[in-house]
Amino acid sequence: MATVELRFSALPEHVRTARLVAAAVARRSGVDEAVLDEVRLAVGEACTRAVGLHQAAGITAPVRVALVEEEKQFSIEVGDEAPRVVPAAASGGRPGAEDPEAEGEDEMGLAVISGLVDDVEVTADESGGSIRMSWPTTP
């Protein structure tokens, strides 16, 4: 199992670099050429989302990207350190809710990712979140 890890400052200009690295590693891992654009777009959306969450919360920690090559699949995990739990009183009684405008942008990004990738897992808690995406590979 080969892994490439990338960490970058939560700045929009670094998202392009993450997209290019992800596409290069995906190609080397055996992801079908026809799917590489989807990989680039999905990684771009996930990284843009993580950058936005970091900036909105004033977090200076880097965004984390792990690119993992396994026997029959290639996966990418984009992680952030933005907490998702807000006290119920501040969220209109909805535990875990965020600012309504930011929540809408967040949902839109997740919808785009879900449309691009069949195998997506989103997790979030008080210490941050991650989006894990996987694609099949050919030997």
Side-chain angles (χ1 to χ4, degrees):
M1 175 169 79
T3 302
V4 174
E5 292 187 27
L6 175 66
R7 293 179 185 268
F8 63 90
S9 300
L11 298 170
E13 52 266 26
H14 297 306
V15 172
R16 182 172 189 267
T17 302
R19 288 176 54 197
L20 293 171
V21 170
V25 176
R27 178 178 285 120
R28 189 199 71 211
S29 298
V31 172
D32 190 276
E33 285 289 325
V35 180
L36 290 178
D37 281 339
E38 293 173 9
V39 171
R40 267 191 290 275
L41 290 171
V43 169
E45 284 293 329
C47 289
T48 296
R49 177 180 176 271
V51 166
L53 290 168
H54 275 221
Q55 289 182 339
I59 296 169
T60 59
V63 172
R64 301 175 317 276
V65 182
L67 309 147
V68 182
E69 178 184 350
E70 297 174 295
E71 189 174 326
K72 295 183 180 182
Q73 81 172 6
F74 172 70
S75 62
I76 299 174
E77 184 171 340
V78 177
D80 64 72
E81 294 187 18
R84 303 303 197 294
V85 178
V86 175
S91 64
R94 294 178 302 142
E98 299 173 351
D99 170 36
E101 187 174 314
E103 190 175 307
E105 290 174 11
D106 188 40
E107 292 297 321
M108 179 68 79
L110 291 175
V112 170
I113 293 167
S114 294
L116 292 168
V117 185
D118 292 333
D119 186 13
V120 180
E121 179 183 330
V122 180
T123 59
D125 60 23
E126 64 277 351
S127 62
S130 71
I131 298 176
R132 187 175 192 283
M133 306 166 280
S134 298
W135 294 268
T137 59
T138 54

